[in-house]
Amino acid sequence: MTKNSMQQRTSSHPIILFDGMCNLCNWFVRFIIGHDKNDIFRFGILQSEKGRELLKGIPSEGCDLTTTLLLNIDRVDSKSDAVLKILRTLGGGWSLFYLFVIVPRSIRDCVYNFISRYRYHIFGKRQSCLAASPEELRKFI
């Protein structure tokens, strides 16, 4: 892992890396921003230079443009684990979704992979990355 990517990961804010061209992923990021009342998360687009920099040093299995990643100082979660941990961190009723952690990861990730495989067909694809307001821009790396 490079020095810059390590410095980003040692931030006190977990970083969510997502596919910036995917409408479903962009909706999820907007959902998180709207429910992140404690300003916990930061965001990075997988296609960006900074996103690619953060991917260096992370084992490649499951780390591609189809995968949501949650980067903490000492841990990287992907796919269904990342989504469930994000929802748990948002708190309130959203944390109840973490109960799905009792479903074996292989089953959860099978569902995740199916949705990921067809996300552009179902939800569409953007021609450009997420447009953020000035207030939201400070949440992006």
Side-chain angles (χ1 to χ4, degrees), residues 7-46:
Q7 287 173 335
Q8 286 286 350
R9 292 224 4 235
T10 58
S11 162
S12 61
H13 297 278
I15 299 170
I16 298 169
L17 290 178
F18 68 99
D19 176 359
M21 306 306 273
C22 169
N23 282 335
L24 175 62
C25 303
N26 280 279
W27 173 85
F28 188 51
V29 167
R30 292 234 180 257
F31 170 85
I32 295 166
I33 290 171
H35 291 86
D36 186 11
K37 304 302 180 199
N38 294 319
D39 194 32
I40 296 168
F41 295 108
R42 295 297 177 260
F43 303 91
I45 297 171
L46 286 164

Side-chain angles (χ1 to χ4, degrees), residues 61-64 66-69 75-85 100-118:
E61 67 276 354
C63 295
D64 56 33
T66 68
T67 305
T68 299
L69 297 171
R75 181 174 183 92
V76 177
D77 291 295
S78 64
K79 300 185 179 188
S80 64
D81 281 344
V83 172
L84 292 176
K85 288 181 181 180
F100 280 103
V101 77
I102 64 172
V103 175
R105 181 183 305 147
S106 60
I107 294 171
R108 288 185 281 120
D109 282 351
C110 184
V111 172
Y112 183 97
N113 289 336
F114 178 82
I115 293 168
S116 177
R117 185 176 304 119
Y118 296 104

